[in-house]
Amino acid sequence: MQPAVQHNRTAIDPLALRRAFGTFVTGVTVITTRDADGKPRGMTANSFASVSLDPPLLLVCVGKNAASYPAFATADSFAVNLLSDTQTGVSNLFASKSTDKFASVNHDVVHTGAPVLTDCLTWFDCTAQQRVEAGDHMILIGEVQAFGTSPSAPLGFCRGRYAQVKDPLPPGWLSSHDMIVGYLIDAQGGVLLVSDGHGGWVLPSAPRRVVDARLPVAGGGELELVPDDTFLYSVFDVAGHDSGYLIYRARLAQPHDALPLPEGLCFFPLENLPYNEIASVEVRAMLRRFVREHAAGGAYSIYMDSHDGGRIASVGAAQPWAAQVQS
Ligand SMILES: Cc1cc2nc3c(=O)[nH]c(=O)nc-3n(C[C@H](O)[C@H](O)[C@H](O)COP(=O)(O)O)c2cc1C
């Protein structure tokens, strides 16, 4: 079969061009924002493209005839929600002229105030960075302020039809979404923090998820921990990162002033933690809880992140598993 060829600018048939554009395989997104009354607005769009990592930029093209165009043309923020292969219904709904597209989909506010679809494949919550007039569309460039992703299979689109991605999760992909294991090390009312090299402080981290009685520290050496006093303290995600965090609470086996600490490590007294130099809001909140629980006599609890703001549970003294197992 001869390929269809069109050269002459004046002779370009828009329908044929649309069909040619449609041979480019894309994902499917729902772009969302709020209109001047704060009402959520959204439409299906496959004109999404990633633009830049630093600064983090993306783009979508919004048709000027769309009913939600005025909202996208003026709002300070918007979200791009990539759909999973179970969401053809959501795609059809947001491609329709329905006046209440948000009634049947779960959505939430994450960072900018733009509606984020809770159950999608991946979302990007953006501030509007630039708008470029481009024929019958506007190129809307957004700066990503927060994002989240899941291992679901993506919904594809090609030649006007939805498409499936064969083998959507390459082997080893999930391991790049590892947990970061951090240690909240208490030594006589002080907490050990590590310099992040940019004027801030972070918790010391471990290469393994299994709790160890010895924690290797940057610059060489190890800290010896009391195994019985080392236990899970917090499990959470950090906005903008796809790694989860597992934090263990631990106690040092020896007095911290007897330790030769490598450069970049420092014990801060609990009443004088450098909150302003700790970038993660989640880590700051966890340290404040630790300080409160320490002051209340050491009745430590475990925190678990969840969509409704997290849960906390009290735990009794930890015991060796072997003592519990009946042979
Ligand atoms: C798979 C798919 C991709 C689409 N991509 C875009 C797009 O990138 N830009 C656009 O303006 N419209 C796109 N549309 C069309 C809009 O979703 C459609 O015009 C919608 O009715 C607009 O909603 P509104 O008029 O309520 O704003 C797409 C539709 C589908 C089904």
Side-chain angles (χ1 to χ4, degrees):
M1 194 182 84
Q2 282 296 314
V5 182
Q6 299 216 5
H7 311 276
N8 189 332
R9 166 126 181 27
T10 52
I12 293 281
D13 170 4
L15 267 182
L17 181 61
R18 176 196 272 238
R19 294 182 79 150
F21 281 159
T23 60
F24 186 59
V25 184
T26 67
V28 182
T29 82
V30 165
I31 55 172
T32 52
T33 190
R34 288 185 193 275
D35 64 18
D37 299 328
K39 198 172 158 242
R41 302 300 301 254
M43 62 186 269
T44 303
N46 67 341
S47 54
F48 164 81
S50 55
V51 174
S52 160
L53 287 178
D54 187 15
L57 302 178
L58 55 72
L59 71 80
V60 287
C61 300
V62 186
K64 291 182 179 167
N65 291 328
S68 50
Y69 173 78
F72 285 106
T74 52
D76 291 336
S77 60
F78 67 98
V80 180
N81 305 272
L82 277 51
L83 300 186
S84 72
D85 67 350
T86 58
Q87 293 183 300
T88 51
V90 177
S91 170
N92 292 339
L93 172 66
F94 279 83
S96 75
K97 292 290 173 190
S98 162
T99 50
D100 197 4
K101 299 180 182 179
F102 289 84
S104 58
V105 290
N106 295 328
H107 55 96
D108 208 348
V109 165
V110 178
H111 186 90
T112 67
V116 167
L117 305 193
T118 332
D119 305 315
C120 65
L121 166 73
T122 296
W123 53 267
F124 302 100
D125 194 0
C126 306
T127 45
Q129 204 250 11
Q130 204 185 331
R131 293 179 168 92
V132 181
E133 291 291 316
D136 53 11
H137 279 61
M138 167 190 66
I139 305 172
L140 175 57
I141 300 176
E143 176 157 358
V144 179
Q145 302 297 335
F147 68 94
T149 187
S150 75
S152 312
L155 179 60
F157 196 72
C158 184
R159 290 200 165 113
R161 288 193 307 196
Y162 295 115
Q164 303 278 323
V165 176
K166 198 171 154 231
D167 197 11
L169 208 56
W173 177 263
L174 282 179
S175 62
S176 69
H177 296 242
D178 260 346
M179 301 296 285
I180 292 175
V181 179
Y183 274 77
L184 211 174
I185 299 180
D186 168 21
Q188 293 92 45
V191 166
L192 180 68
L193 296 176
V194 180
S195 163
D196 65 4
H198 309 285
W201 295 96
V202 295
L203 290 176
S205 57
R208 283 152 46 90
R209 245 175 270 183
V210 176
V211 199
D212 228 327
R214 292 179 173 277
L215 179 71
V217 288
E222 292 180 327
L223 297 176
E224 201 182 329
L225 308 174
V226 182
D228 287 356
D229 286 344
T230 301
F231 210 71
L232 182 64
Y233 191 59
S234 200
V235 183
F236 57 88
D237 286 336
V238 168
H241 293 264
D242 58 6
S243 310
Y245 280 71
L246 263 187
I247 307 292
Y248 294 107
R249 177 177 53 77
R251 201 159 60 78
L252 273 189
Q254 43 188 147
H256 71 277
D257 39 15
L259 283 172
L261 275 186
E263 204 181 322
L265 270 70
C266 184
F267 278 98
F268 286 90
L270 287 183
E271 59 283 4
N272 202 16
L273 290 174
Y275 293 108
N276 292 338
E277 286 128 43
I278 296 171
S280 154
V281 63
E282 292 84 358
V283 172
R284 291 200 300 270
M286 184 190 66
L287 284 169
R288 290 202 164 93
R289 173 167 69 95
F290 182 74
V291 170
R292 278 196 307 276
E293 293 178 346
H294 190 273
Y300 297 112
S301 50
I302 296 179
Y303 171 83
M304 191 186 69
D305 208 353
S306 60
H307 282 301
D308 55 3
R311 280 145 219 252
I312 202 148
S314 305
V315 282
Q319 291 178 9
W321 170 244
Q324 301 278 315
V325 180
Q326 310 286 319
S327 56

